[in-house]
């Protein structure tokens, strides 16, 4: 039998590799800028024409290459960055596969000029993978790679290129990602002669984020600093109230290397829990630091993905890092300086644990049993200050650095939400048996909702019994506050559930808890006793995320003293 297996000629192998590494102009830009940064460049200039379809040029002031190295660099698996398989573990350069230059050169008209600072420079010309020219070059130290007519010899690939606008955006994105990865390097991107991005060398990480993502977005970000087990995480995340459904930016790095990972982004979102409106997508940039053995960076030809040895651990770390950053944010909210933190602690001391059974809640909101109830453990000096209810909706009080305004409904909603979440996963809420059961008429959809949420409804304290036709009888109800209208709450809650009004919650229980909390909370327009206001505030500051209600809106607003002084011309 004649031999049927043959080793592919290099040119063919390179073209096959190019299929994996060089997908579109953005991948060429990525590989070339990575090479420049690996070569220690302090300034990299990228130029594109027609979305990179006709021209991509990347110039750097890095180490450059001697002539022999330059020619060798075009060979497959030619790399100066690793020498053995062992070097792959913990490789710190972007490149290490030695594939990019030959792959790019095999599908374009390629030129490379370089000078390593000794002797004369070198210029190479390659067309479709064939080395056509080696000549002297007069230039400064560094390297310039010029890629023209990408995919000229692979028409099938060329056909898959998208519009100039779309290719330009993808290339811009690639440059932006690398700019974020290397704040110390200066980068410029020029598109058809116009400068699209220019960041100076030697920026701090924060300056770089502001330069690449814009000052407006940067102003909505708060720092993340986390370390536990094998993971260290730093970076920034967006304040919950500033997140929007569209236009988000996300960027992940592991040991300085950018990568994509939808699951880790989702883990970060889980860290926001109920602080964020269901449809909103927070921007974030997280740098994970793990020991090199914990992560395999060589699982994707373009190195866009990585593999964690402990994936669950990575997701948990990201979620916790976000959660920690947000709770730090809570105590940093400018309500009378550190006052919230202080009150938060006071409240915790008064009522250990933030998830309180609704029985206790009912007590709190019940009218005072006796007048001598002050001086109890729940009486914190901070809340001894007079509280004022305005418009039967807001609670006002004086803090060291300003006037604090709390929305009573939002605040109670947040308190109930956390209490209910603990009941849904733990013990049932104590319910109050009704002497006269309530009878309610519901629609078919509402009856379905009662049925499908039966267990959750029971756990928050409703005992609902179907009574033939569309009638439901309530034998027992929860008692979240004294003016609680159980029939109305039940009706509104099942209507919300039936209409899917609280849609978008990832978790069914969270959705139920938010619906119940919204409907059971004291409403705007209800008059509260001073004691009730005080208790509500104590409860609020004992929750995990006091400044946000379950819709991601604010529960607390402050009027800084400074602002008052400015308006009255005192400063
Ligand atoms: N801009 C550059 N400046 C200096 N050396 C470079 C540059 N680009 C490529 N090289 C050299 O060429 C080699 C091959 O590059 P490449 O094909 O991208 O593989 P890799 O980056 O995986 O090593 C690199 O290892 C490096 O030594
Ligand atoms: Mg490379």
């Amino acid at each position: 039998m004649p031999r049927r297996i043959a080793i592919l000629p290099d040119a063919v192998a390179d073209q096959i590799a190019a299929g994996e590494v060089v997908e579109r102009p953005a991948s060429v830009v990525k590989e070339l800028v990575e090479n420049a940064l690996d070569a220690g460049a302090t300034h990299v200039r990228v130029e594109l024409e027609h979305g990179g379809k006709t021209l991509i040029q990347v110039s750097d002031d890095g180490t450059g290459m001697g002539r022999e190295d330059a020619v060798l660099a075009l060979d497959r698996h030619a790399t100066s960055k690793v020498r053995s398989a062992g070097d792959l573990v913990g490789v710190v350069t972007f490149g290490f596969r030695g594939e990019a230059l030959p792959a790019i050169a095999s599908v374009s008209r390629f030129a490379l000029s370089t000078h390593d600072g000794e002797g004369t420079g070198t210029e190479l010309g390659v067309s479709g993978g064939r080395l056509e020219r080696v000549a002297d070059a007069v230039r400064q130290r560094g390297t310039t790679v010029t890629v023209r007519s990408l995919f000229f010899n692979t028409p099938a690939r060329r056909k898959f290129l998208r519009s100039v606008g779309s290719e330009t955006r993808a290339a811009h994105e690639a440059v932006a990602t690398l700019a974020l990865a290397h704040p110390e390097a200066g980068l410029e991107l020029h598109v058809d002669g116009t400068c699209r991005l220019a960041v100076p060398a030697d920026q701090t990480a924060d300056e770089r984020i502001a330069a690449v993502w814009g000052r407006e977005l940067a102003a909505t970000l708060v720092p993340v600093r986390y370390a536990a087990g094998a993971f260290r995480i730093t970076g920034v995340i967006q304040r919950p109230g500033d997140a929007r459904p569209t236009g988000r930016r996300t960027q992940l790095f592991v040991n300085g290397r950018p990568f994509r990972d939808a699951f880790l982004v989702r883990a970060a979102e889980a860290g926001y829990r109920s602080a964020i409106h269901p449809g909103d997508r927070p921007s974030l940039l997280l740098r994970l630091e793990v020991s090199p053995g914990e992560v395999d960076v060589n699982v994707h030809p373009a190195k866009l993905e990585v593999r964690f040895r402990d994936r669950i651990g990575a997701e948990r770390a990201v979620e916790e890092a976000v959660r920690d950053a947000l709770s730090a944010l809570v105590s940093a909210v400018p309500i009378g300086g550190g006052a919230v933190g202080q009150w938060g602690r006071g409240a915790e001391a008064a009522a250990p644990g933030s998830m309180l059974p609704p029985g206790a809640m009912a007590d709190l909101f019940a009218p005072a049993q006796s007048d001598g109830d002050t001086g109890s453990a729940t009486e914190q000096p901070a809340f001894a200050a007079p509280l004022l209810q305005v418009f039967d909706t807001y609670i006002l009080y004086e803090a060291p650095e300003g006037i604090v305004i709390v929305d009573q409904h939002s605040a109670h909603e947040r308190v109930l939400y956390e209490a209910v979440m603990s009941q849904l996963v733990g013990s049932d809420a104590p319910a109050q048996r009704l002497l006269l059961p309530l009878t309610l008429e519901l629609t078919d959809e509402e009856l379905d909702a009662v049925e499908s949420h039966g267990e959750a409804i029971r756990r928050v304290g409703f005992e609902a019994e179907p009574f033939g036709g569309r009638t439901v009888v309530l034998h027992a109800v929860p008692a979240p506050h004294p003016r609680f209208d159980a029939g109305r709450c039940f009706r509104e809650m099942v209507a919300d559930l039936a209409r899917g009004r609280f849609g978008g919650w990832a978790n069914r229980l969270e959705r139920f808890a938010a619906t119940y909390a919204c409907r059971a909370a004291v409403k705007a327009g209800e008059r509260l006793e001073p004691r009730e206001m005080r208790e509500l505030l104590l409860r609020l500051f004992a929750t995990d995320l006091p400044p946000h209600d379950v819709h991601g809106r604010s529960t607390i607003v402050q009027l800084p003293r400074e602002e008052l002084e400015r308006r009255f011309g005192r400063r």
Side-chain angles (χ1 to χ4, degrees), residues 31 35 81 95 100:
E31 294 294 338
N35 279 348
K81 300 169 191 173

Side-chain angles (χ1 to χ4, degrees), residues 212-343:
V212 175
W213 282 359
R215 310 232 154 251
E216 205 177 311
L217 175 54
T220 68
L221 304 173
V222 294
V224 172
R225 239 175 285 286
Y226 172 89
F231 298 90
R232 240 175 61 80
I233 302 176
T234 55
V236 287
I237 57 170
Q238 197 164 29
R239 280 199 194 90
D242 291 316
R244 296 287 173 266
T246 56
R248 70 121 59 128
R249 308 276 200 134
T250 62
Q251 187 70 63
L252 300 172
F253 299 96
V254 61
N255 297 344
R257 184 183 299 276
F259 71 107
R260 297 185 199 148
D261 195 319
F263 291 101
L264 286 187
V265 171
R266 217 170 295 159
E269 285 171 356
Y272 277 85
R273 282 179 301 175
S274 56
I276 201 159
H277 192 274
D280 287 343
R281 298 274 163 268
S283 291
L284 53 96
L285 179 147
L286 297 175
R287 302 173 196 276
L288 282 71
E289 229 69 63
V290 299
S291 67
E294 289 289 319
V295 62
D296 185 355
V297 295
N298 190 24
V299 295
H300 187 280
K303 302 179 235 88
L304 296 174
E305 290 161 16
V306 302
R307 187 179 294 144
F308 289 96
R309 207 178 52 78
D310 178 10
R311 158 143 289 276
I312 295 183
E315 288 179 15
R316 194 177 317 127
V318 165
E319 182 176 341
E320 272 174 24
V322 169
R323 195 165 290 183
D324 286 3
L326 289 178
S327 45
L329 172 65
V330 166
S331 39
V333 157
I335 310 165
V340 168
Q342 181 197 324
W343 295 339

Side-chain angles (χ1 to χ4, degrees), residues 35-36 39 60 64-65 73 78-81 95-102 143:
N35 279 348
D60 69 61
M65 287 173 272
T79 178
S80 57
K81 300 169 191 173
F96 52 76
R97 295 167 67 105
E99 283 181 331
L101 290 186
T143 304

